[in-house]
């Protein structure tokens, strides 16, 4: 049996602000919860190519694993958790900007 | 201090103009990211985890008050009100937006600063002893040498696309405070029979393959410095490995080719290069030296210092810990700790920067330094002024009396900011500092250098920490490896790995057990952690770190 595909999202940094963004069905969001969850490998690869083509808006797009066991996509790795939240030494970045 | 010539100012302005146009072309879509990335890196602009990061060069760690004020202005206007001083004596801004960076560079240009060659495969910002020009143990001030090397290496056409980055550090004293043995080239000014020359070390470095630099020339004549450096870099630029970036640094070339063969190649190259240097560099060097003349030291009573030292135990503790002997009578070197317990090592707010700039202006001959240990130095302060300085520092959270102690920790930005990191560094530093402050033990422990890197690239110098901590990603969890016995000074040594790593929760208790083992095994209070380690070896520390395995061995 083929290995099950770990769900993914396309993430990148915004060209002008430099902050973390996630691809949604029709654009980009600064919240991981809004991201389009990709469960099919071929579709994920296609969405990544589409993202990478938007060079006027995004930088460094890649596929990141997410945990969907509680519904909304959540970071599967601590690096992605920091990207989604911001640094741990100051209340800067996403953790305050999104509230 | 060195002041820009019209040429320097025009060069920086032109580079800033070019970069502004490059940013505009990136934003309007004329440049792709692949095209833009090398251009932004040449100007110190990285894209990190949460934002862009601008790394500004502070050549050999020397700043005037006006420059420090301008760094504060940048922090307030284009960042979140603070800056991060690094282990290469630079400052990093963690939150700029792309459109603002050209304005930031122009603002830096106003005070003769820039971000050129703070990244990329070039000769990076030249670092030096942060006590340069002030230390009592100095043969000569290393800053004119560093400035000469900076000018020679800036935009050097042969060295803009090398196998990898190249770092040079200079010291003028036997006591190495500039970590010259962990640089691609380390220079030490030496004096023989009244003549000044250079001991040249090559092939030192940290990162994934740590190496201690080796002496390639034990007494290079002063006038041969630039042609010799050019020969070393040129030889490596030709034969250094470009097939594998992990093997590209000169330390690997020296290791693979052998020091004697490198020396032969350098001498061969030197014979060709030397005649091209007509002596104009030496004339220029003389004019640079003239700009680094010592300030007019004043003579006055040290009575206010003695009185405060006797009457105020807080001042006394600070004076005992944060002052270093100055070469001028009545003067001291002040180290301002950017390591308040629980704070981020190396961070200063805009307000703190302005306070330090004001203190340097009022009491410190207008000079500040950044140390590779991420602190700020007032190099020339009369002891009579120290009580007033201490009082002002205290008001602004800058009077922590912990220089060289366990809470004076070097920590790289780690995964809180850096895109390369594999684990966090800052929270580990914060927790260690807070823990030992609670225990009220750090003055009893004495000199102990903890250095923390959040990845194998070793920006946090963990290999040369008495206790080194390396943060890694082990199967998706932060894991911290400990090395012991590292030394960044003239007796440089690479630390030895103690054993399996610890989780983020277990690392601070592990450090505490190490320190307990030291306190138990030291022969007397004056025996430092490093001395005890060198005497006893790893065994007692390993037993303290891994009590379970000791129990198993005893069964």
């Amino acid at each position: 049996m083929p290995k099950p595909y770990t769900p993914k999202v396309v993430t990148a940094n915004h060209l002008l602000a430099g902050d973390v963004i996630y691809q949604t069905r029709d654009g980009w969001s600064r919240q991981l919860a809004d991201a389009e969850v990709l469960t099919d490998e071929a579709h994920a690869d296609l969405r990544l190519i589409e993202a990478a083509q938007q060079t006027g808006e995004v930088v460094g797009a890649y596929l990141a694993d997410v945990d969907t066991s509680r519904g909304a996509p959540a970071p599967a790795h601590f690096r992605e958790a920091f990207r989604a939240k911001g640094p741990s030494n100051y209340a800067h970045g996403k953790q305050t900007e999104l509230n | 201090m060195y002041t820009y010539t019209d040429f320097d100012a025009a060069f920086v302005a032109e580079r800033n103009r070019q970069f502004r146009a490059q940013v505009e072309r990136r934003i309007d879509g004329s440049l792709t990211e692949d095209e833009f990335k090398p251009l932004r890196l040449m100007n110190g602009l990285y894209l990190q985890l949460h934002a862009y990061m601008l790394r500004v060069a502070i050549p050999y760690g020397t700043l005037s008050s006006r420059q420090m004020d301008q760094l504060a202005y940048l922090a307030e206007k284009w960042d979140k009100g603070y800056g991060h001083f690094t282990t290469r004596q630079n400052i990093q801004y963690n939150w700029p937006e792309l459109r603002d960076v050209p304005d930031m560079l122009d603002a830096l240009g106003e005070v003769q600063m820039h971000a050129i060659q703070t990244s990329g495969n070039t000769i990076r910002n030249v670092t030096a002893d942060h006590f340069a020009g002030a230390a009592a143990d100095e043969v000569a001030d290393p800053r004119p040498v560093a400035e000469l090397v900076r000018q020679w290496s800036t935009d050097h056409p042969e060295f803009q696309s090398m196998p990898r980055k190249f770092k040079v550090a200079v010291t003028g004293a036997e006591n190495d405070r500039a970590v010259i043995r962990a640089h691609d080239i380390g220079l030490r000014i030496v004096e023989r029979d009244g003549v000044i020359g250079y001991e040249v070390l090559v092939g030192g470095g940290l990162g994934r393959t740590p190496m201690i630099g080796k002496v390639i020339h034990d007494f290079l004549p002063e006038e041969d410095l630039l042609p010799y450096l050019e020969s070393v870099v040129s030889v490596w630029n030709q034969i250094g490995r470009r097939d594998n970036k992990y093997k590209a640094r000169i330390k690997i070339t020296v290791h693979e080719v052998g020091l004697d063969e490198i020396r032969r190649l350098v001498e061969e190259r030197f014979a060709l290069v030397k005649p091209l240097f007509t002596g104009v560099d030496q004339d220029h060097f003389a004019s640079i030296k003239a700009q680094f003349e010592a300030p007019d030291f004043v003579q006055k009573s040290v009575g206010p210092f003695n009185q405060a030292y006797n009457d105020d135990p807080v001042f006394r503790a600070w004076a005992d810990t944060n002052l270093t002997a100055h070469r001028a009578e009545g003067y001291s070197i002040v180290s301002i700790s950017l390591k308040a317990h629980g704070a981020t090592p190396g961070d200063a707010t805009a307000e703190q920067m302005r306070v330090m700039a004001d203190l340097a202006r009022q009491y410190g001959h207008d000079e500040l330094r950044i140390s590779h240990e991420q602190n700020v130095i007032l190099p020339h302060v009369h002891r009579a002024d120290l009580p007033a300085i201490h009082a002002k520092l205290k008001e602004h959270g800058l009077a922590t009396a912990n220089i060289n102690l366990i809470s004076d920790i070097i920590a790289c930005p780690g995964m809180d900011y850096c895109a390369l990191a594999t684990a966090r560094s800052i929270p580990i530093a914060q927790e260690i500092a807070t823990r030992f402050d609670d225990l009220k033990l750090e003055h009893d422990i004495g000199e102990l250098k903890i250095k923390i890197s959040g990845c194998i690239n070793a920006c946090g110098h963990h290999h040369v920490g008495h206790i080194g901590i390396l943060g890694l990603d082990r199967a998706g969890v932060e894991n911290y490896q400990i090395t012991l016995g590292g030394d960044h000074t003239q007796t440089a040594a690479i630390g030895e790995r103690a054993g399996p790593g610890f989780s983020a929760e277990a690392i601070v208790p592990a450090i505490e057990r190490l320190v307990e083992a030291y306190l138990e095994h030291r022969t007397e209070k004056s025996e430092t952690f490093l001395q005890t380690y060198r005497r006893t070896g790893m065994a007692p520390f390993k037993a303290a770190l891994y009590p379970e395995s000791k129990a198993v061995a005893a069964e």
Side-chain angles (χ1 to χ4, degrees), chain B residues 178-441:
Chain B
V179 209
I180 65 166
R181 282 158 184 81
H183 279 76
D184 296 283
I185 285 183
L187 296 171
R188 183 166 72 92
I189 305 172
V190 286
E191 188 176 346
R192 267 191 200 169
D193 305 324
V195 179
I196 294 283
Y198 305 103
E199 181 184 60
V200 184
L201 294 107
V202 69
L206 301 174
R208 72 177 56 215
T209 319
M211 302 259 192
I212 300 295
K214 299 170 180 73
V215 177
I216 187 169
H217 203 306
D218 65 350
F219 193 79
L220 182 73
E222 222 178 355
E223 64 273 20
D224 288 348
L225 179 65
L226 289 188
Y228 194 83
L229 288 185
E230 188 152 304
S231 302
V232 174
V233 184
S234 179
V235 163
W236 166 71
N237 196 21
Q238 285 187 359
I239 66 171
R241 289 180 57 170
R242 289 171 191 262
D243 61 320
N244 180 345
K245 80 172 196 174
Y246 301 121
K247 297 191 171 182
R249 297 287 289 271
I250 196 171
K251 62 190 173 185
I252 304 293
T253 315
V254 172
H255 183 70
E256 288 183 347
V257 177
L259 180 64
D260 291 339
E261 176 63 6
I262 294 285
R263 186 183 288 121
R264 190 189 69 73
L265 291 167
V266 167
E267 279 166 12
E268 208 173 84
R269 180 83 187 142
F270 180 77
L272 298 172
V273 167
K274 171 73 180 169
L276 303 175
F277 283 77
T278 56
V280 65
D281 57 313
Q282 287 303 299
D283 295 343
H284 190 56
F285 187 33
S287 74
I288 291 173
K289 270 186 190 167
Q291 299 196 47
F292 286 94
E293 283 195 354
D296 292 327
F297 295 121
V298 297
Q299 292 199 333
K300 54 184 176 182
S301 161
V302 294
F305 171 81
N306 293 334
Q307 194 183 341
Y309 192 85
N310 289 329
D311 296 351
D312 178 357
V314 177
F315 175 76
R316 184 160 61 238
W318 177 79
D320 286 344
T321 312
N322 292 35
L323 301 182
T324 305
H326 196 284
R327 66 193 179 88
E329 196 192 330
Y331 273 73
S332 279
I333 302 169
V334 175
S335 293
I336 301 172
S337 171
L338 296 185
K339 316 288 178 64
H341 301 105
T344 302
D347 278 12
T349 64
E351 176 201 298
Q352 289 176 324
M353 290 184 217
R354 290 201 177 100
V355 166
M356 294 186 282
D358 283 345
L359 288 174
R361 200 177 278 120
Q362 194 174 351
Y363 302 109
H365 299 277
D366 206 30
E367 270 199 50
L368 301 117
R369 307 281 170 73
I370 308 305
S371 77
H372 82 269
E373 288 172 317
Q374 302 178 284
N375 292 313
V376 176
I377 315 294
L378 299 175
H380 308 297
V381 173
H382 197 282
R383 294 170 83 81
D385 299 323
L386 288 169
I389 290 173
H390 179 253
K392 191 80 182 169
L393 290 173
K394 219 161 62 171
E395 283 171 28
H396 297 275
L398 290 167
T400 313
N402 65 346
I403 296 296
N404 291 332
L405 302 183
I406 194 169
S407 60
D408 183 10
I409 299 172
I410 287 184
C412 72
M415 198 175 275
D416 286 307
Y417 297 91
C418 178
L420 298 174
T422 45
R424 287 173 298 168
S425 306
I426 292 168
I428 306 300
Q430 292 173 307
E431 284 171 38
I432 293 171
T434 307
R435 178 65 185 146
F436 282 91
D437 188 40
D438 290 346
L439 294 172
K440 296 295 166 214
L441 262 183

Side-chain angles (χ1 to χ4, degrees), chain B residues 113-230:
Chain B
M113 296 183 77
H114 60 70
I116 297 166
Q117 288 182 210
T118 59
S119 176
N121 294 333
T122 56
I123 299 176
R124 300 289 186 87
N125 181 34
V126 181
T127 55
D129 184 351
H130 43 268
F131 294 162
D137 60 357
E138 190 171 85
V139 171
D141 188 339
R143 291 173 303 155
V145 178
E147 175 59 28
L148 184 71
V149 174
R150 185 187 76 80
Q151 294 192 19
W152 158 80
S153 62
T154 300
D155 218 27
H156 192 304
E158 189 179 339
F159 304 139
Q160 291 303 301
S161 181
M162 301 199 293
R164 200 76 176 85
K165 59 189 167 186
F166 199 92
K167 297 176 182 175
V168 181
V170 196
T171 180
E174 166 64 26
N175 293 310
D176 180 8
R177 292 172 287 260
V179 209
I180 65 166
R181 282 158 184 81
H183 279 76
D184 296 283
I185 285 183
L187 296 171
R188 183 166 72 92
I189 305 172
V190 286
E191 188 176 346
R192 267 191 200 169
D193 305 324
V195 179
I196 294 283
Y198 305 103
E199 181 184 60
V200 184
L201 294 107
V202 69
L206 301 174
R208 72 177 56 215
T209 319
M211 302 259 192
I212 300 295
K214 299 170 180 73
V215 177
I216 187 169
H217 203 306
D218 65 350
F219 193 79
L220 182 73
E222 222 178 355
E223 64 273 20
D224 288 348
L225 179 65
L226 289 188
Y228 194 83
L229 288 185
E230 188 152 304

Side-chain angles (χ1 to χ4, degrees), chain A residues 13-20 55 58-59 77-79 82-83 86-90 92-93 97, chain B residues 26 33 47-52 80 82 95 98 344 347 415-417 419 422 424 427 473 476 478:
Chain A
N13 288 77
H14 189 260
L15 171 66
L16 296 179
D19 64 339
V20 175
T55 59
V58 309
V59 182
H77 187 277
F78 64 89
R79 185 177 196 271
F82 290 124
R83 289 183 78 242
S88 48
N89 62 331
Y90 300 120
H92 288 161
E97 284 162 11
Chain B
R26 175 68 185 98
E33 185 60 21
L47 183 53
Q48 296 285 35
L49 276 194
H50 314 293
Y52 287 95
K80 293 186 188 292
Y82 74 102
W95 301 95
L98 181 58
T344 302
D347 278 12
M415 198 175 275
D416 286 307
Y417 297 91
T422 45
R424 287 173 298 168
D473 173 356
E478 289 169 296

Side-chain angles (χ1 to χ4, degrees), chain B residues 73-134:
Chain B
Y73 173 74
L74 263 77
E76 247 165 20
K77 178 150 184 169
W78 291 294
D79 205 278
K80 293 186 188 292
Y82 74 102
H84 176 74
F85 291 103
T86 77
T87 54
R88 296 212 76 254
Q89 300 180 309
N90 293 317
I91 184 169
Q92 296 182 172
Y93 293 101
N94 286 325
W95 301 95
E97 296 201 4
L98 181 58
R99 273 189 206 285
D100 294 332
V101 175
D103 290 340
M104 295 173 82
L105 294 177
D106 282 347
L108 289 167
E110 286 171 17
V111 294
Q112 310 198 338
M113 296 183 77
H114 60 70
I116 297 166
Q117 288 182 210
T118 59
S119 176
N121 294 333
T122 56
I123 299 176
R124 300 289 186 87
N125 181 34
V126 181
T127 55
D129 184 351
H130 43 268
F131 294 162

Side-chain angles (χ1 to χ4, degrees), chain A residues 27-71:
Chain A
W28 293 88
S29 169
R30 293 190 146 75
Q31 306 220 41
L32 175 56
D34 299 337
E36 176 189 7
V37 177
L38 306 163
T39 52
D40 176 79
E41 186 168 3
H43 183 59
D45 290 344
L46 178 69
R47 292 293 284 151
L48 176 61
I49 290 167
E50 287 169 0
Q53 284 171 338
Q54 299 172 43
T55 59
E57 193 173 354
V58 309
V59 182
Y62 65 94
L63 291 165
D65 288 353
V66 286
D67 175 358
T68 52
S69 59
R70 292 184 193 170

